[in-house]
Coordinates of all heavy atoms in Angstrom, one line a residue:
L1 N -6.4 -12.9 -13.4 CA -5.3 -13.9 -13.1 C -5.8 -14.9 -12.2 O -5.4 -16.1 -12.2 CB -4.0 -13.3 -12.6 CG -2.9 -12.9 -13.6 CD1 -1.8 -12.2 -12.8 CD2 -2.5 -14.0 -14.4
A2 N -6.7 -14.7 -11.2 CA -7.1 -15.6 -10.2 C -7.9 -16.7 -10.9 O -7.8 -17.9 -10.4 CB -7.9 -14.9 -9.1
G3 N -8.8 -16.5 -11.8 CA -9.5 -17.6 -12.5 C -8.7 -18.6 -13.1 O -8.8 -19.8 -12.8
P4 N -7.8 -18.2 -14.0 CA -6.9 -19.2 -14.7 C -5.9 -19.9 -13.7 O -5.3 -20.9 -13.9 CB -6.2 -18.4 -15.7 CG -6.9 -17.2 -15.9 CD -7.6 -17.0 -14.6
A5 N -5.8 -19.2 -12.5 CA -4.8 -19.7 -11.5 C -5.3 -21.0 -10.8 O -4.4 -21.7 -10.2 CB -4.4 -18.7 -10.5
R6 N -6.6 -21.3 -10.9 CA -7.1 -22.5 -10.2 C -6.4 -23.7 -10.8 O -6.3 -23.8 -12.0 CB -8.6 -22.5 -10.4 CG -9.3 -21.5 -9.6 CD -10.8 -21.8 -9.6 NE -11.5 -20.7 -9.0 CZ -12.6 -20.1 -9.4 NH1 -13.1 -20.5 -10.5 NH2 -13.1 -19.1 -8.7
G7 N -6.0 -24.6 -10.0 CA -5.4 -25.8 -10.4 C -3.8 -25.5 -10.7 O -3.1 -26.5 -11.1
Q8 N -3.3 -24.4 -10.6 CA -1.9 -24.1 -10.7 C -1.5 -23.4 -9.4 O -1.4 -22.1 -9.3 CB -1.6 -23.2 -11.8 CG -2.1 -23.9 -13.2 CD -2.0 -23.0 -14.4 OE1 -1.6 -21.8 -14.3 NE2 -2.2 -23.5 -15.6
P9 N -1.1 -24.1 -8.4 CA -0.8 -23.6 -7.1 C 0.2 -22.5 -7.0 O 0.0 -21.5 -6.3 CB -0.3 -24.8 -6.3 CG -0.9 -26.0 -6.9 CD -0.9 -25.7 -8.4
P10 N 1.3 -22.5 -7.8 CA 2.3 -21.4 -7.7 C 1.7 -20.1 -8.2 O 1.8 -19.0 -7.6 CB 3.4 -21.8 -8.7 CG 3.3 -23.3 -8.8 CD 1.9 -23.7 -8.7
L11 N 0.9 -20.2 -9.3 CA 0.3 -19.0 -9.8 C -0.8 -18.5 -8.8 O -0.9 -17.2 -8.6 CB -0.3 -19.3 -11.2 CG -1.0 -18.1 -11.9 CD1 0.0 -17.0 -12.1 CD2 -1.5 -18.7 -13.3
L12 N -1.6 -19.4 -8.3 CA -2.6 -19.0 -7.4 C -1.9 -18.3 -6.1 O -2.5 -17.3 -5.6 CB -3.5 -20.2 -7.0 CG -4.6 -19.9 -6.0 CD1 -5.6 -18.9 -6.6 CD2 -5.3 -21.2 -5.6
A13 N -0.9 -18.8 -5.6 CA -0.3 -18.4 -4.4 C 0.3 -16.9 -4.7 O 0.1 -16.0 -3.8 CB 0.8 -19.2 -4.0
L14 N 0.9 -16.8 -5.8 CA 1.4 -15.4 -6.2 C 0.3 -14.4 -6.3 O 0.5 -13.3 -5.9 CB 2.3 -15.5 -7.5 CG 3.7 -16.2 -7.4 CD1 4.2 -16.5 -8.7 CD2 4.6 -15.4 -6.5
T15 N -0.7 -14.8 -7.0 CA -1.9 -13.9 -7.2 C -2.5 -13.6 -5.9 O -2.8 -12.4 -5.7 CB -2.9 -14.6 -8.2 OG1 -2.2 -15.0 -9.4 CG2 -4.1 -13.7 -8.4
L16 N -2.7 -14.5 -5.1 CA -3.4 -14.2 -3.8 C -2.4 -13.3 -2.9 O -2.9 -12.4 -2.2 CB -3.7 -15.5 -3.0 CG -4.9 -16.3 -3.6 CD1 -5.1 -17.6 -2.9 CD2 -6.1 -15.5 -3.7
A17 N -1.1 -13.6 -2.9 CA -0.2 -12.8 -2.2 C -0.2 -11.3 -2.7 O -0.2 -10.4 -1.9 CB 1.2 -13.3 -2.2
A18 N -0.3 -11.1 -4.0 CA -0.3 -9.8 -4.6 C -1.6 -9.1 -4.2 O -1.6 -7.9 -3.9 CB -0.2 -9.9 -6.1
F19 N -2.7 -9.9 -4.2 CA -4.0 -9.2 -3.7 C -3.9 -8.8 -2.3 O -4.4 -7.6 -1.9 CB -5.2 -10.3 -3.9 CG -6.5 -9.8 -3.4 CD1 -7.2 -8.9 -4.1 CD2 -6.9 -10.2 -2.1 CE1 -8.4 -8.4 -3.7 CE2 -8.1 -9.7 -1.7 CZ -8.9 -8.8 -2.4
A20 N -3.3 -9.6 -1.4 CA -3.2 -9.2 0.0 C -2.3 -8.0 0.2 O -2.6 -7.2 1.0 CB -2.6 -10.5 0.8
C21 N -1.2 -7.9 -0.6 CA -0.4 -6.7 -0.5 C -1.1 -5.5 -1.0 O -1.0 -4.4 -0.4 CB 0.9 -7.0 -1.3 SG 2.1 -8.0 -0.5
G22 N -1.9 -5.6 -2.1 CA -2.7 -4.4 -2.6 C -3.7 -4.0 -1.6 O -3.8 -2.9 -1.3
L23 N -4.4 -5.0 -0.9 CA -5.3 -4.7 0.0 C -4.6 -4.0 1.3 O -5.2 -3.0 1.8 CB -6.0 -5.9 0.5 CG -7.2 -5.8 1.5 CD1 -8.4 -4.9 0.9 CD2 -7.7 -7.1 1.9
A24 N -3.5 -4.5 1.7 CA -2.8 -3.9 2.8 C -2.4 -2.5 2.5 O -2.5 -1.6 3.3 CB -1.5 -4.7 3.1
G25 N -2.0 -2.3 1.2 CA -1.6 -0.9 0.8 C -2.8 0.1 0.9 O -2.7 1.3 1.4
M26 N -3.9 -0.4 0.5 CA -5.1 0.3 0.5 C -5.5 0.7 2.0 O -5.9 1.8 2.4 CB -6.3 -0.3 -0.1 CG -7.5 0.5 -0.2 SD -8.9 -0.3 -1.1 CE -9.3 -1.7 -0.1
L27 N -5.5 -0.3 2.8 CA -5.9 -0.1 4.2 C -4.9 0.8 5.0 O -5.3 1.6 5.8 CB -5.9 -1.5 5.0 CG -7.0 -2.4 4.6 CD1 -6.9 -3.8 5.3 CD2 -8.4 -1.8 5.0
I28 N -3.6 0.7 4.6 CA -2.6 1.6 5.3 C -2.9 3.0 4.8 O -2.9 3.9 5.6 CB -1.2 1.2 4.8 CG1 -0.8 0.0 5.5 CG2 -0.2 2.4 5.1 CD1 0.5 -0.7 5.0
T29 N -3.3 3.3 3.6 CA -3.7 4.6 3.1 C -4.9 5.1 3.8 O -4.9 6.3 4.4 CB -3.9 4.6 1.6 OG1 -2.7 4.2 1.0 CG2 -4.2 5.9 1.1
V30 N -5.9 4.3 3.9 CA -7.2 4.8 4.4 C -7.2 4.9 5.9 O -7.7 5.9 6.5 CB -8.4 3.8 4.0 CG1 -9.6 4.0 4.8 CG2 -8.5 3.8 2.5
K31 N -6.5 4.1 6.6 CA -6.5 4.1 8.2 C -5.3 4.8 8.6 O -5.3 5.2 9.8 CB -6.5 2.6 8.7 CG -7.8 1.9 8.3 CD -8.9 2.4 9.0 CE -10.2 1.5 8.8 NZ -11.3 2.1 9.5
G32 N -4.3 4.9 7.9 CA -3.0 5.6 8.4 C -2.8 6.9 7.9 O -2.7 7.9 8.7
N33 N -2.7 7.1 6.6 CA -2.4 8.4 6.0 C -3.6 9.4 5.9 O -3.4 10.5 6.2 CB -1.8 8.2 4.6 CG -0.5 7.5 4.6 OD1 -0.4 6.4 4.4 ND2 0.5 8.2 5.0
F34 N -4.7 8.9 5.5 CA -5.8 9.8 5.3 C -6.3 10.6 6.6 O -6.6 11.7 6.5 CB -7.1 9.0 4.7 CG -7.0 8.8 3.3 CD1 -8.1 8.1 2.6 CD2 -6.0 9.2 2.5 CE1 -8.0 7.9 1.3 CE2 -5.9 9.1 1.1 CZ -6.9 8.4 0.5
P35 N -6.4 9.8 7.8 CA -6.8 10.6 8.9 C -5.6 11.7 9.3 O -6.1 12.9 9.7 CB -6.7 9.6 10.0 CG -7.0 8.3 9.4 CD -6.3 8.4 8.1
I36 N -4.4 11.5 9.1 CA -3.4 12.5 9.2 C -3.6 13.6 8.2 O -3.5 14.8 8.6 CB -2.0 11.9 9.2 CG1 -1.8 10.9 10.4 CG2 -1.0 13.0 9.3 CD1 -0.5 10.0 10.3
N37 N -3.9 13.3 7.0 CA -4.1 14.2 5.9 C -5.3 15.1 6.3 O -5.2 16.4 6.1 CB -4.4 13.6 4.6 CG -3.1 12.9 4.0 OD1 -2.0 13.1 4.5 ND2 -3.3 12.2 3.0
D38 N -6.3 14.6 6.8 CA -7.5 15.3 7.2 C -7.2 16.3 8.3 O -7.7 17.4 8.3 CB -8.7 14.4 7.5 CG -9.2 13.5 6.4 OD1 -9.0 14.0 5.2 OD2 -9.9 12.6 6.6
L39 N -6.4 15.8 9.3 CA -6.1 16.7 10.4 C -5.2 17.9 9.9 O -5.4 19.0 10.3 CB -5.3 15.9 11.5 CG -4.9 16.6 12.7 CD1 -6.1 17.1 13.5 CD2 -4.1 15.6 13.6
V40 N -4.2 17.6 9.1 CA -3.3 18.6 8.5 C -4.1 19.7 7.8 O -3.8 20.8 7.8 CB -2.2 18.0 7.7 CG1 -1.4 19.1 7.0 CG2 -1.3 17.2 8.6
M41 N -5.1 19.3 7.1 CA -5.9 20.2 6.3 C -6.7 21.2 7.1 O -7.0 22.3 6.6 CB -6.9 19.5 5.4 CG -6.3 18.6 4.4 SD -5.3 19.6 3.2 CE -6.6 20.5 2.3
T42 N -6.8 21.0 8.5 CA -7.5 21.9 9.3 C -6.5 22.9 9.9 O -6.9 23.9 10.6 CB -8.2 21.2 10.5 OG1 -7.2 20.5 11.4 CG2 -9.2 20.2 9.9
W43 N -5.2 22.7 9.7 CA -4.2 23.7 10.3 C -4.1 25.0 9.5 O -4.3 25.0 8.3 CB -2.9 23.0 10.3 CG -2.7 21.8 11.1 CD1 -3.6 21.3 12.1 CD2 -1.5 20.9 11.2 NE1 -3.0 20.1 12.6 CE2 -1.8 19.9 12.1 CE3 -0.3 20.9 10.4 CZ2 -0.9 18.8 12.4 CZ3 0.5 19.9 10.7 CH2 0.4 19.0 11.7
S44 N -3.7 26.0 10.3 CA -3.3 27.2 9.6 C -1.9 27.1 9.1 O -1.0 26.7 9.9 CB -3.4 28.4 10.5 OG -2.9 29.5 10.1
P45 N -1.6 27.4 7.9 CA -0.2 27.3 7.5 C 0.8 28.2 8.2 O 2.0 28.0 8.3 CB -0.2 27.7 6.0 CG -1.5 28.1 5.7 CD -2.4 27.9 6.8
H46 N 0.2 29.3 8.8 CA 1.1 30.2 9.5 C 1.2 29.9 11.0 O 2.1 30.5 11.7 CB 0.4 31.7 9.4 CG 0.3 32.0 8.0 ND1 1.3 32.3 7.2 CD2 -0.9 32.2 7.2 CE1 0.9 32.6 6.0 NE2 -0.5 32.6 6.0
A47 N 0.4 28.9 11.5 CA 0.6 28.5 12.9 C 0.3 27.1 13.1 O -0.8 26.6 13.6 CB -0.5 29.4 13.7
P48 N 1.2 26.2 12.7 CA 1.0 24.8 12.9 C 1.2 24.5 14.3 O 1.8 25.2 15.1 CB 2.2 24.2 12.1 CG 3.2 25.2 12.0 CD 2.5 26.5 12.0
P49 N 0.5 23.3 14.7 CA 0.6 22.9 16.1 C 2.1 22.6 16.6 O 2.9 22.3 15.7 CB -0.2 21.6 16.2 CG -0.3 21.3 14.9 CD -0.2 22.3 14.0
A50 N 2.4 22.6 17.8 CA 3.7 22.4 18.4 C 4.2 21.0 18.0 O 5.4 20.9 17.9 CB 3.7 22.7 19.9
D51 N 3.3 20.0 17.9 CA 3.7 18.6 17.7 C 3.6 18.3 16.2 O 3.6 17.1 15.9 CB 2.9 17.7 18.6 CG 1.5 17.6 18.1 OD1 1.0 18.6 17.4 OD2 0.8 16.6 18.4
W52 N 3.7 19.2 15.3 CA 3.6 18.9 13.9 C 4.7 17.9 13.4 O 4.4 17.1 12.6 CB 3.6 20.2 13.1 CG 5.0 20.9 13.0 CD1 5.4 21.8 13.8 CD2 6.0 20.6 12.0 NE1 6.6 22.2 13.5 CE2 7.0 21.4 12.4 CE3 6.1 19.7 10.9 CZ2 8.3 21.4 11.6 CZ3 7.2 19.7 10.2 CH2 8.3 20.6 10.6
A53 N 5.9 18.0 13.9 CA 7.0 17.2 13.5 C 6.7 15.7 13.8 O 7.0 14.8 13.0 CB 8.3 17.6 14.0
S54 N 6.1 15.5 15.0 CA 5.8 14.0 15.3 C 4.7 13.4 14.4 O 4.7 12.3 14.0 CB 5.4 13.9 16.8 OG 4.2 14.5 17.1
L55 N 3.8 14.3 14.1 CA 2.7 13.9 13.2 C 3.3 13.6 11.7 O 2.9 12.7 11.1 CB 1.6 14.9 13.2 CG 0.2 14.4 12.6 CD1 -0.3 13.3 13.4 CD2 -0.8 15.5 12.6
R56 N 4.2 14.5 11.3 CA 4.8 14.3 10.1 C 5.6 13.0 10.0 O 5.5 12.2 9.1 CB 5.8 15.5 9.8 CG 6.6 15.2 8.5 CD 8.0 16.0 8.6 NE 8.7 15.5 9.7 CZ 9.8 16.3 10.3 NH1 10.0 17.5 9.8 NH2 10.4 15.9 11.3
D57 N 6.2 12.7 11.2 CA 7.1 11.4 11.2 C 6.1 10.2 11.2 O 6.3 9.1 10.6 CB 7.9 11.4 12.5 CG 9.0 12.4 12.5 OD1 9.3 13.0 11.3 OD2 9.5 12.8 13.6
R58 N 5.0 10.3 11.9 CA 4.0 9.2 11.8 C 3.4 9.0 10.4 O 3.3 7.9 9.9 CB 2.8 9.5 12.7 CG 3.0 9.1 14.2 CD 1.7 9.2 15.0 NE 0.5 9.0 14.4 CZ -0.5 9.8 14.7 NH1 -0.4 10.7 15.6 NH2 -1.7 9.5 14.2
W59 N 3.2 10.2 9.7 CA 2.7 10.1 8.3 C 3.7 9.4 7.4 O 3.5 8.5 6.6 CB 2.4 11.5 7.7 CG 1.8 11.4 6.4 CD1 0.5 11.4 6.1 CD2 2.5 11.4 5.1 NE1 0.3 11.3 4.7 CE2 1.5 11.2 4.1 CE3 3.8 11.3 4.8 CZ2 1.8 11.2 2.7 CZ3 4.1 11.3 3.4 CH2 3.2 11.1 2.4
W60 N 5.0 9.8 7.6 CA 6.1 9.2 6.9 C 6.3 7.7 7.1 O 6.5 7.0 6.2 CB 7.4 9.9 7.2 CG 8.6 9.4 6.3 CD1 9.6 8.8 6.7 CD2 8.7 9.7 4.9 NE1 10.4 8.5 5.5 CE2 9.8 9.1 4.5 CE3 8.0 10.4 4.0 CZ2 10.4 9.1 3.1 CZ3 8.4 10.4 2.7 CH2 9.6 9.7 2.3
A61 N 6.1 7.2 8.3 CA 6.2 5.9 8.6 C 5.0 5.1 7.9 O 5.3 4.0 7.3 CB 6.1 5.6 10.1
W62 N 3.8 5.6 7.9 CA 2.7 4.9 7.2 C 3.0 5.0 5.7 O 2.8 3.9 5.0 CB 1.4 5.7 7.5 CG 0.8 5.4 8.8 CD1 0.6 6.3 9.8 CD2 0.4 4.1 9.3 NE1 0.0 5.7 10.9 CE2 -0.1 4.3 10.6 CE3 0.4 2.8 8.7 CZ2 -0.7 3.3 11.4 CZ3 -0.2 1.8 9.5 CH2 -0.7 2.0 10.8
H63 N 3.6 6.0 5.1 CA 3.9 6.2 3.8 C 4.9 5.1 3.4 O 4.8 4.4 2.4 CB 4.4 7.6 3.5 CG 4.9 7.7 2.0 ND1 4.1 7.6 0.9 CD2 6.2 7.9 1.6 CE1 4.8 7.8 -0.2 NE2 6.1 7.9 0.2
C64 N 6.0 5.0 4.1 CA 7.0 3.9 3.9 C 6.4 2.5 3.9 O 6.8 1.7 3.1 CB 8.2 4.0 4.9 SG 9.1 5.5 4.7
A65 N 5.6 2.3 4.9 CA 5.0 1.0 5.0 C 4.1 0.7 3.7 O 4.1 -0.4 3.1 CB 4.1 0.8 6.2
R66 N 3.4 1.7 3.3 CA 2.5 1.6 2.1 C 3.3 1.3 0.9 O 3.0 0.6 0.0 CB 1.7 2.9 2.0 CG 0.9 2.9 0.7 CD 0.1 4.1 0.5 NE 0.9 5.3 0.6 CZ 0.5 6.6 0.8 NH1 -0.8 6.8 0.8 NH2 1.3 7.5 0.8
T67 N 4.5 2.1 0.7 CA 5.4 1.9 -0.4 C 5.9 0.5 -0.4 O 6.0 -0.2 -1.5 CB 6.5 2.9 -0.2 OG1 6.0 4.2 -0.3 CG2 7.5 2.7 -1.5
V68 N 6.4 -0.1 0.6 CA 6.9 -1.5 0.7 C 5.9 -2.4 0.2 O 6.2 -3.3 -0.6 CB 7.4 -1.8 2.2 CG1 7.6 -3.3 2.2 CG2 8.6 -1.0 2.5
V69 N 4.6 -2.4 0.8 CA 3.6 -3.4 0.4 C 3.2 -3.1 -1.1 O 2.8 -4.1 -1.8 CB 2.5 -3.5 1.3 CG1 2.8 -4.0 2.7 CG2 1.7 -2.2 1.4
T70 N 3.3 -1.9 -1.5 CA 2.8 -1.7 -2.9 C 3.8 -2.1 -3.9 O 3.5 -2.7 -4.9 CB 2.5 -0.2 -3.1 OG1 1.5 0.3 -2.2 CG2 2.0 0.1 -4.6
V71 N 5.1 -2.0 -3.6 CA 6.2 -2.5 -4.4 C 6.2 -4.0 -4.4 O 6.3 -4.8 -5.4 CB 7.6 -1.9 -4.0 CG1 8.7 -2.7 -4.7 CG2 7.6 -0.5 -4.3
A72 N 5.9 -4.6 -3.2 CA 5.8 -6.1 -3.1 C 4.6 -6.6 -4.0 O 4.7 -7.6 -4.7 CB 5.6 -6.5 -1.7
C73 N 3.5 -5.9 -4.0 CA 2.3 -6.2 -4.8 C 2.7 -6.3 -6.3 O 2.4 -7.2 -7.0 CB 1.1 -5.2 -4.6 SG -0.3 -5.5 -5.6
F74 N 3.4 -5.1 -6.7 CA 3.8 -5.1 -8.1 C 4.8 -6.3 -8.5 O 4.6 -6.9 -9.5 CB 4.5 -3.8 -8.4 CG 5.0 -3.7 -9.8 CD1 4.2 -3.6 -10.9 CD2 6.4 -3.8 -10.1 CE1 4.7 -3.5 -12.2 CE2 6.9 -3.7 -11.3 CZ 6.0 -3.6 -12.4
G75 N 5.8 -6.5 -7.6 CA 6.6 -7.7 -7.8 C 5.9 -9.0 -7.8 O 6.3 -9.8 -8.7
L76 N 5.0 -9.2 -7.0 CA 4.3 -10.5 -7.0 C 3.4 -10.6 -8.2 O 3.3 -11.7 -8.8 CB 3.4 -10.6 -5.7 CG 4.2 -10.8 -4.4 CD1 3.3 -10.5 -3.2 CD2 4.7 -12.2 -4.4
L77 N 2.8 -9.5 -8.7 CA 2.1 -9.5 -10.0 C 3.0 -9.9 -11.2 O 2.6 -10.6 -12.0 CB 1.2 -8.3 -10.1 CG 0.0 -8.1 -9.3 CD1 -0.6 -6.7 -9.5 CD2 -1.0 -9.2 -9.6
L78 N 4.1 -9.2 -11.1 CA 5.1 -9.5 -12.2 C 5.5 -11.0 -12.2 O 5.5 -11.6 -13.2 CB 6.4 -8.6 -12.1 CG 7.4 -8.7 -13.2 CD1 6.8 -8.4 -14.5 CD2 8.5 -7.8 -12.8
A79 N 5.7 -11.5 -11.0 CA 6.1 -12.9 -10.9 C 5.0 -13.8 -11.3 O 5.2 -14.8 -12.0 CB 6.5 -13.2 -9.4
A80 N 3.7 -13.5 -11.0 CA 2.6 -14.2 -11.4 C 2.5 -14.2 -12.9 O 2.2 -15.3 -13.6 CB 1.3 -13.7 -10.8
A81 N 2.7 -13.0 -13.5 CA 2.6 -13.0 -15.0 C 3.6 -13.8 -15.6 O 3.4 -14.5 -16.6 CB 2.6 -11.6 -15.4
L82 N 4.8 -13.7 -15.1 CA 5.9 -14.6 -15.7 C 5.7 -16.0 -15.5 O 6.0 -16.9 -16.4 CB 7.3 -14.1 -15.1 CG 7.7 -12.7 -15.5 CD1 8.9 -12.3 -14.7 CD2 8.0 -12.6 -17.0
T83 N 5.1 -16.4 -14.3 CA 4.8 -17.8 -14.0 C 3.8 -18.4 -15.0 O 3.8 -19.4 -15.5 CB 4.3 -17.9 -12.6 OG1 5.4 -17.5 -11.8 CG2 4.0 -19.3 -12.3
A84 N 2.7 -17.4 -15.2 CA 1.6 -17.9 -16.0 C 2.1 -18.1 -17.5 O 1.6 -19.0 -18.2 CB 0.6 -16.7 -16.1
N85 N 3.1 -17.3 -17.9 CA 3.6 -17.5 -19.3 C 4.5 -18.8 -19.4 O 4.7 -19.4 -20.4 CB 4.4 -16.3 -19.7 CG 3.5 -15.2 -20.1 OD1 2.4 -15.4 -20.4 ND2 4.0 -13.9 -20.0
A86 N 5.1 -19.2 -18.2 CA 6.0 -20.3 -18.2 C 5.2 -21.6 -18.0 O 5.8 -22.7 -18.4 CB 7.0 -20.2 -17.0
L87 N 4.0 -21.6 -17.5 CA 3.3 -22.8 -17.3 C 2.6 -23.3 -18.6 O 2.2 -22.5 -19.4 CB 2.2 -22.5 -16.2 CG 2.7 -22.3 -14.7 CD1 1.5 -21.8 -13.9 CD2 3.4 -23.5 -14.2
P88 N 2.4 -24.6 -18.7 CA 1.7 -25.1 -19.9 C 0.2 -24.7 -19.8 O -0.3 -24.5 -18.7 CB 1.8 -26.6 -19.8 CG 2.2 -26.9 -18.3 CD 2.8 -25.6 -17.8
P89 N -0.4 -24.4 -21.0 CA -1.8 -24.1 -21.0 C -2.7 -25.1 -20.4 O -2.3 -26.3 -20.5 CB -2.1 -23.8 -22.4 CG -1.0 -24.3 -23.2 CD 0.2 -24.6 -22.2
I90 N -3.8 -24.7 -19.9 CA -4.8 -25.6 -19.2 C -5.5 -26.4 -20.3 O -6.0 -25.9 -21.3 CB -5.7 -24.9 -18.3 CG1 -5.0 -24.1 -17.2 CG2 -6.8 -25.8 -17.8 CD1 -5.8 -23.2 -16.4

């Protein structure tokens, strides 16, 4: 979509915003959720640490943030596709 979006500012803006949201979702996953996942994998299921609930809450907050930007990415891509179909051909 980015190639044909040149010269069509609304389409380019939607495409770039979707890309930014997708990148943000990936960064949230890699920098927020994965380190917590890695830590949890070292725990014994029979003896979790005393602060496990606070770590769970941090993971959930990262997960919610990731969900918001991922849904925004999808919405922006949908809007870009609909905009591309509504614009006259180049």
Side-chain angles (χ1 to χ4, degrees):
L1 265 176
R6 289 187 188 138
Q8 299 178 355
L11 182 57
L12 182 60
L14 289 168
T15 304
L16 291 176
F19 176 78
C21 286
L23 183 62
M26 184 179 66
L27 289 173
I28 288 169
T29 300
V30 170
K31 297 293 185 178
N33 292 104
F34 281 178
I36 296 172
N37 290 348
D38 291 341
L39 182 61
V40 170
M41 294 299 289
T42 66
W43 295 351
S44 166
H46 304 292
D51 68 337
W52 71 269
S54 67
L55 199 58
R56 176 205 57 204
D57 294 342
R58 276 188 26 223
W59 185 93
W60 184 251
W62 285 118
H63 173 70
C64 290
R66 176 180 56 191
T67 300
V68 167
V69 296
T70 303
V71 169
C73 177
F74 176 73
L76 289 163
L77 284 175
L78 181 61
L82 293 173
T83 299
N85 287 336
L87 293 174
I90 299 174

